[in-house]
Amino acid sequence: MALAALRREGRRFAPMISPRPITALRSSPLAPSLEDEGPIGVRYISTQVVRNRMKSVKNIQKITKAMKMVAASKLRAIQTKAENSRGLWQPFTALLGDLPSADVKKNVVVTISSDKGLCGGINSTSVKISKGLHKLNSGPEKETKYVILGEKAKAQLIRDSKKDIELIITELQKNPLNYTQVSVLADEILKNVEYDALRIVFNKFYSVVSFVPTVSTVLSPEIVEREAESGGKLGDLDSYEVEGGETKGEILQNLAEFQFSCVMFNAVLENACSEQGARMSAMDSSSRNAGDMLDRLTLTYNRTRQASITTELIEIISGASALEG
């Protein structure tokens, strides 16, 4: 009976209520200014803004979930290749060694990065290590140059080290990675740069959430021969027998070129795995953050809607009381 009376009084009082509610009764800071209001009133505009925001967040969450699934699919395809490629460069490390502390005059830092973003900080880490190697191997009688693979390293290094960049290669992963493709790139690098040591910077893949910045060193044949004669870590090189008419220098030249192509192939695949793993983690975090934001927006929407309903009831009851008085 009481509710029916309230409805009757509300219908009688409705023509007397202004079509634009009093702005002091706004219940949400998300409501737009008075100039932006439509004919439906402030209290409805505020909930509409929240609904639009919720719709945007839901769409973003769908995109991040889809990107996570795409990254997981690509990771499975590349991970097998990366694990198989580790058997290529390991024999060279056993034979020629990996001497990051070799003191040489001409250093070339090969920085491997991705062409796309949204994959955490793996590219920034590679660039920082490359800059550290450049600073460490610079001096009055030393020369250090960059060879860049990937758009992200190019964008960061070209700002403050443009004069030291010798070669830039991008869109490496436009086609599926294979040894033929990488060996052509390695040959292009060897033709365009003079080096005593090639220092390859990449991210070594261990798991989806674990990848370690790594530096592999490939020495020129002259430096390998010098280190072997000095009796260092390469002192056992003379213990191997050489068959055929090739000289020791020619054999070392062929080994150095083949070693560089194998190390490059493994480094590119390892970095590609790390990129997809980092993108999976980043998109998973983005999806969770979008879910948390959606929960907060839903709570704000419900509170705003409830406040709007409460305000309308108060207006109706106040109008009915005024008529009775």
Side-chain angles (χ1 to χ4, degrees), residues 194-229:
E194 295 182 1
Y195 73 97
D196 291 331
L198 291 161
R199 306 186 188 277
I200 306 164
V201 182
F202 63 98
N203 291 278
K204 188 174 180 61
F205 178 80
Y206 287 98
S207 68
V208 175
V209 295
S210 176
F211 35 86
V212 179
T214 307
V215 179
S216 293
T217 305
V218 177
L219 301 177
S220 66
E222 295 79 10
I223 302 300
V224 170
E225 194 168 359
R226 187 192 72 184
E227 292 290 333
E229 291 174 356

Side-chain angles (χ1 to χ4, degrees), residues 100-288:
S101 60
D103 187 17
V104 297
K105 292 183 178 180
K106 295 182 180 179
N107 290 276
V108 176
V109 180
V110 182
T111 306
I112 300 177
S113 67
S114 64
D115 289 315
K116 298 179 181 179
L118 299 176
C119 53
I122 63 170
N123 297 316
S124 299
T125 305
S126 297
V127 170
K128 287 179 182 177
I129 292 176
S130 299
K131 290 181 177 179
L133 287 172
H134 185 279
K135 186 176 181 180
L136 185 65
N137 294 285
S138 297
E141 297 182 357
K142 294 182 178 181
E143 182 184 17
T144 304
K145 296 291 185 179
Y146 287 114
V147 172
I148 299 174
L149 276 69
E151 286 284 353
K152 294 304 174 179
K154 169 189 170 184
Q156 295 186 50
L157 288 173
I158 205 169
R159 289 196 294 264
D160 52 2
S161 304
K162 187 174 182 179
K163 60 183 179 61
D164 295 325
I165 297 176
E166 195 76 19
L167 186 64
I168 298 175
I169 300 171
T170 57
E171 297 185 356
L172 186 60
Q173 299 183 42
K174 190 174 183 180
N175 299 315
L177 292 170
N178 54 61
Y179 179 76
T180 303
Q181 177 187 2
V182 177
S183 62
V184 171
L185 294 177
D187 188 56
E188 187 73 18
I189 293 172
L190 293 176
K191 287 180 180 178
N192 287 278
V193 299
E194 295 182 1
Y195 73 97
D196 291 331
L198 291 161
R199 306 186 188 277
I200 306 164
V201 182
F202 63 98
N203 291 278
K204 188 174 180 61
F205 178 80
Y206 287 98
S207 68
V208 175
V209 295
S210 176
F211 35 86
V212 179
T214 307
V215 179
S216 293
T217 305
V218 177
L219 301 177
S220 66
E222 295 79 10
I223 302 300
V224 170
E225 194 168 359
R226 187 192 72 184
E227 292 290 333
E229 291 174 356
S230 64
K233 292 184 178 180
L234 304 180
D236 296 334
L237 192 61
D238 291 330
S239 62
Y240 293 92
E241 295 182 2
V242 178
E243 296 180 357
E246 294 182 338
T247 63
K248 183 179 178 181
E250 292 174 343
I251 292 174
L252 286 177
Q253 179 71 32
N254 294 333
L255 283 175
E257 293 178 0
F258 191 41
Q259 179 190 15
F260 179 57
S261 63
C262 291
V263 172
M264 274 285 293
F265 181 53
N266 175 253
V268 168
L269 288 174
E270 295 278 1
N271 200 80
C273 283
S274 301
E275 175 193 350
Q276 300 302 335
R279 185 169 288 117
M280 281 182 61
S281 299
M283 293 302 101
D284 183 56
S285 298
S286 299
S287 299
R288 288 200 304 269

Side-chain angles (χ1 to χ4, degrees), residues 64-75 276 279-280:
T64 55
K65 286 182 176 179
M67 290 183 68
K68 178 186 175 182
M69 289 188 290
V70 170
S73 176
K74 290 182 178 180
L75 176 62
Q276 300 302 335
R279 185 169 288 117
M280 281 182 61

